[in-house]
Amino acid sequence: MADYERQNQGQGHRGHTVVFLANAKFFLDDDDVDRRSQRRRYEEPLSNKLRKQLLAIAESATRKAEDHASGIAKTVTENYEDEDLRDTFLTLIIQLVTEQPFKIPFLAAVVLVINTQKPELAAEALKKAAEALQGYLNVGAWREVKLILRFLGCLQRLFEGEGIFPILDELFLRAVDLQTSSSEDSLGLELVKIILFTIPYIMTSSATENEFQASALLEKTDIIASTPHALVALVDPFVTDEGKPEFIQSVVSLLQTQLQEEASKGWELVCIPRPWKIPREDENDGADPLDSMTKHPFPEVMIPNPVKPGPKAILPEIYLSVYAGQEIETVPPPTSVTSLLLRDALIDTINILDFNRVATAKFLIDIDCYFTPDTFVKRATPFDKLREIPSDRSTWKPEDVAVDAVFSQLFQLPAPEHKLIYYHSVLTECCKVAPAAIAPSLGRAIRFLYRSVKELDLDLCHRFLDWFSHHLSNFGFTWKWTEWIEDLELPVTHPKMSFITGALDKEIRLSFAQRIKGTLPDPYQALILEGKEKDTPDFKYASDSTPYAKEGREIMQLIRKKASDEEIQPVITAIEEQARMLGDPDPIVQSTDAFVTSICYVGAKSLSHVLSCIERNKERLLSVGPFSPPARRQIITSVMEYWADQPGIAINIIDKLLNYTILTPLSVIEWALLDNLATGKILAKTHVYEMISATIGKVTNRMRQIVLARIQPGLYEPQLSVLDETLGREKGDMHTLFKLIEDSIVSVSNSGSDLLFERGNGAGNQEEDELIRHWGHRWLRVFRRKAAVEEAFIFEAMVNATPLGTVAPIVPQSAEPTNGHVDVSDDDIADIS
């Protein structure tokens, strides 16, 4: 576009013509002044800058952490009079201690530097830490207690006298009291673990001459830590000793041994950073500013007696590594204290930051920033390249250490701290952040777990199965299935074959059969049956050769037309009359089969369709159970038979039928372990375990809700009696379920003569008999543990419950209601009942 002028338009204040150019710029005469308003420059508050600096401490690999700490300390001390900045610092530093454990040594370094310049501010920080510690002790928040003590342990040089050791001694005395009162106590074990995890940070702090106190404390804790705990077997991730990796033992016992070894080496503790270096004005000045800094008395903290157990159940913790037995060590061995120091900081970070999986993944990927530089090899170093590293250097891969920690929580027994999907998502985010580093690590972890599926606890095998299929669904369902081709020759009851078929079934649930089939090598194609590729399974009553075919088709058409119960009843009656004529002892079973199969066929399009069919015919389905228990179990049979090729859909429908109370938990257990036990072969089917485990989970969750309602404060009669009666009834039903499971599976695990005879105990079946016995042992172990956990929960919760018979105090009409009274209405009681 050519330049042009606009006369008498856009003139400046002196009447000069403004010339517009094609690039939308214009010129002003030299004496013209740009009178446009200038934007006021925004200066960020100093407290915001400080906040950013604190949050980013130690996160940069290019900046020395000690320089960063000194810079933060300088900002705070030079602006001490700024109340907003001071409050921000004191609040945020304690918050970081309890939310980002990796940074505790660096935060302690900031306080140490501040103490050399502004001792009064350091004293305020200690007071803030003591207040937080006291609050956590009062409520039994033991993880937070451990982290605050770790922070104070890093500040040991700042204290007068023995510093932190007296409070550790007092914690030990509480642990002794608890262990003396009960050999199954786990809280005392937790207190000892807190003590042991605090000692290394004291010994690597800038303090000196603590060896005597540390050794004396270790001698005391050895009494508890080295004694095998009664509940360790309950949470052992392996069923048998055969194939079990070495050093599968409790964390407390292992840590005690590791620290004793470290003490003999002079407390090297090579992985813990020591950012205590204080910058000096004169490099030639050899004086350490920490030597002349002001000392403070250790803050006054009162440990409750007795200590509170806290809101979470505490059980012994077992050390498990999915990288055990590798040719080259990619994670610290259990003989090294580094293994537990790294693991402890990692799992605390994972479990604390459950509200932000992206931030959690970033911390895990950046783990090498928070420990000494020589602790790990370079990120994403290929496994084969580790062979080239000199023998005197570390071969530990930071990504392996991080993945190992996530799996340790995913496989925590009896249950992880958070929902399993959280740990799935953390691993997925790690793959997205650093695919080149994490993908090979996960591959080696998968291979270890697959090799161990026979020896691994059954519950953990199913967690592995769920994660494996979910993980593949996030990354195109790609896996090196060729590695497992030889295992396709194994019997269907072998744990490895059960895992493969279960994984393919779950993949199909997450996608569709044809797509999954396209990702598999040829030898696996036979596992994807033709029925799995059908969107709608065949309707068995479509064939005239099926008994009651005509009536079955009529029922299906009536359901499709949304006919009323009165219209369907004549056809139901016709089936039952024919069944009686044929000598069927329970004719309602045949009519139920036709009715439920028709519902499945009409509702096969989607879950919402089948739920609509169930809701429209809910009254008839509800009436079946009380009239005939075999007919109630026939509902399950009909659903499972119709969706035989896609059992995931079947167990989803059964779960909904339980919600509608059309089925009872007892009927589900009876169907699986009485009607269809099949000499124990059904125990190898992953979907059957999933169904029974989910059913038991519904029962135990309801039990826990009733217990929590019963123990809330402020309850009086008659509410207490109603809740107690409900609790007793539900507890009895739960015991009945666990006893039925026990009685049904014991015969399988013992391989009774009747079952062996049914299987035909010939020479060719010995391997199968042994496999089925093994399945029985694994099932028993899981459900005995579930029963024991629920019993322990009820017992511990009811210890401090309001006694039965307590009546409300008489309150004068003019007085206000008692603050502690909880108003539970009769409607609420009715709902619970």
Side-chain angles (χ1 to χ4, degrees), residues 248-297:
I248 294 294
Q249 56 181 295
S250 72
V251 167
V252 174
S253 174
L254 191 58
L255 183 58
Q256 176 74 28
T257 304
Q258 291 172 347
L259 290 179
Q260 288 172 337
E261 180 66 21
E262 278 298 308
S264 66
K265 297 178 182 178
W267 299 101
E268 295 177 350
L269 299 164
V270 292
C271 71
I272 299 179
R274 297 163 172 83
W276 324 121
K277 182 180 177 182
I278 309 296
R280 304 168 191 176
E281 296 179 2
D282 185 357
E283 290 297 329
N284 297 322
D285 185 5
D288 186 349
L290 295 179
D291 292 337
S292 57
M293 69 178 178
T294 303
K295 300 279 187 176
H296 302 270

Side-chain angles (χ1 to χ4, degrees), residues 566-799:
E566 290 76 13
E567 295 175 271
I568 297 174
Q569 183 58 46
V571 188
I572 297 290
T573 303
I575 294 176
E576 292 175 359
E577 288 176 356
Q578 290 183 47
R580 285 193 192 92
M581 292 175 62
L582 294 172
D584 195 316
D586 199 347
I588 196 173
V589 170
Q590 303 302 329
S591 62
T592 300
D593 185 24
F595 186 63
V596 175
T597 302
S598 298
I599 288 176
C600 289
Y601 179 72
V602 173
K605 188 175 181 180
S606 68
L607 182 61
S608 61
H609 280 71
V610 74
L611 290 181
S612 296
C613 291
I614 290 171
E615 287 176 356
R616 284 196 301 270
N617 299 278
K618 182 180 176 182
E619 295 305 319
R620 174 172 290 280
L621 291 170
L622 283 169
S623 66
V624 167
F627 190 79
S628 171
R632 176 181 273 160
R633 298 201 295 275
Q634 178 61 45
I635 295 174
I636 305 173
T637 302
S638 299
V639 173
M640 296 298 291
E641 286 181 352
Y642 183 78
W643 291 106
D645 292 318
Q646 299 183 51
I649 297 177
I651 61 176
N652 199 358
I653 294 173
I654 288 168
D655 183 77
K656 305 307 178 189
L657 291 170
L658 279 167
N659 292 344
Y660 285 121
T661 68
I662 292 168
L663 297 176
T664 64
L666 185 63
S667 64
V668 175
I669 306 300
E670 288 176 339
W671 178 87
L673 301 182
L674 293 182
D675 299 348
N676 295 280
L677 188 58
T679 67
K681 292 182 180 179
I682 197 173
L683 303 183
K685 296 182 178 181
T686 56
H687 67 273
V688 173
Y689 175 85
E690 184 180 350
M691 180 175 66
I692 292 181
S693 183
T695 302
I696 291 294
K698 285 181 180 292
V699 174
T700 56
N701 285 341
R702 174 171 168 76
M703 171 65 63
R704 289 184 176 230
Q705 289 173 2
I706 297 171
V707 170
L708 293 175
R710 172 64 179 82
I711 65 174
Q712 62 182 322
L715 288 180
Y716 304 108
E717 293 293 355
Q719 296 169 342
L720 291 174
S721 296
V722 174
L723 286 170
D724 244 38
E725 182 183 351
T726 305
L727 179 58
R729 183 173 63 251
E730 294 292 329
K731 189 176 178 181
D733 291 344
M734 184 182 73
H735 288 165
T736 300
L737 288 182
F738 280 119
K739 188 175 187 306
L740 176 59
I741 295 172
E742 174 90 12
D743 294 343
S744 302
I745 300 176
V746 161
S747 59
V748 177
S749 64
N750 293 336
S751 283
S753 56
D754 293 341
L755 286 175
L756 288 174
F757 179 77
E758 288 180 41
R759 289 201 291 267
N761 190 23
N765 289 327
Q766 289 182 0
E767 181 183 0
E768 185 179 56
D769 292 342
E770 183 58 36
L771 286 172
I772 291 175
R773 273 196 296 269
H774 185 63
W775 280 108
H777 284 304
R778 298 173 83 194
W779 274 66
L780 276 178
R781 188 173 190 268
V782 167
F783 288 101
R784 283 173 176 170
R785 179 174 63 238
K786 289 180 183 292
V789 167
E790 296 309 315
E791 285 293 335
F793 172 80
I794 296 171
F795 174 78
E796 291 174 5
M798 294 297 291
V799 167

Side-chain angles (χ1 to χ4, degrees), residues 420 424 458-474 477 481 498-513 516 527-528 532 645-649 651-652 685-691 693-694:
L420 297 173
H424 293 195
L458 184 60
D459 193 18
L460 300 188
C461 280
H462 280 267
R463 293 188 205 175
F464 171 43
L465 176 63
D466 286 341
W467 168 78
F468 178 72
S469 54
H470 184 197
H471 181 74
L472 294 191
S473 74
N474 287 323
F477 296 100
W481 292 101
S498 175
F499 177 85
I500 291 172
T501 55
L504 294 180
D505 174 58
K506 284 190 177 283
E507 285 192 17
I508 291 172
R509 294 191 217 176
L510 296 167
S511 181
F512 52 92
I516 301 306
L527 298 178
I528 310 295
K532 292 183 180 295
D645 292 318
Q646 299 183 51
I649 297 177
I651 61 176
N652 199 358
K685 296 182 178 181
T686 56
H687 67 273
V688 173
Y689 175 85
E690 184 180 350
M691 180 175 66
S693 183

Side-chain angles (χ1 to χ4, degrees), residues 99 101-102 143 146-147 150 190 193 197 251 312 317-320 339-354 360 364 367 401-410 412 417-418 422-423:
E99 289 188 5
F102 288 143
R143 178 169 56 208
K146 176 183 68 176
L147 296 176
R150 179 175 304 171
E190 184 71 12
K193 185 172 77 171
F197 271 121
V251 167
K312 296 183 296 185
E317 185 181 352
I318 300 294
Y319 181 83
L320 170 67
S339 62
L340 286 181
L341 293 176
L342 295 179
R343 173 73 63 85
D344 181 63
L346 279 162
I347 63 176
D348 282 345
T349 301
I350 293 167
N351 288 323
I352 289 169
L353 297 179
D354 62 291
T360 303
L364 297 186
I367 180 181
V401 173
V403 168
D404 209 17
V406 180
F407 274 115
S408 76
Q409 296 309 287
L410 183 62
Q412 188 72 34
E417 183 171 339
H418 302 293
Y422 167 63
Y423 303 105

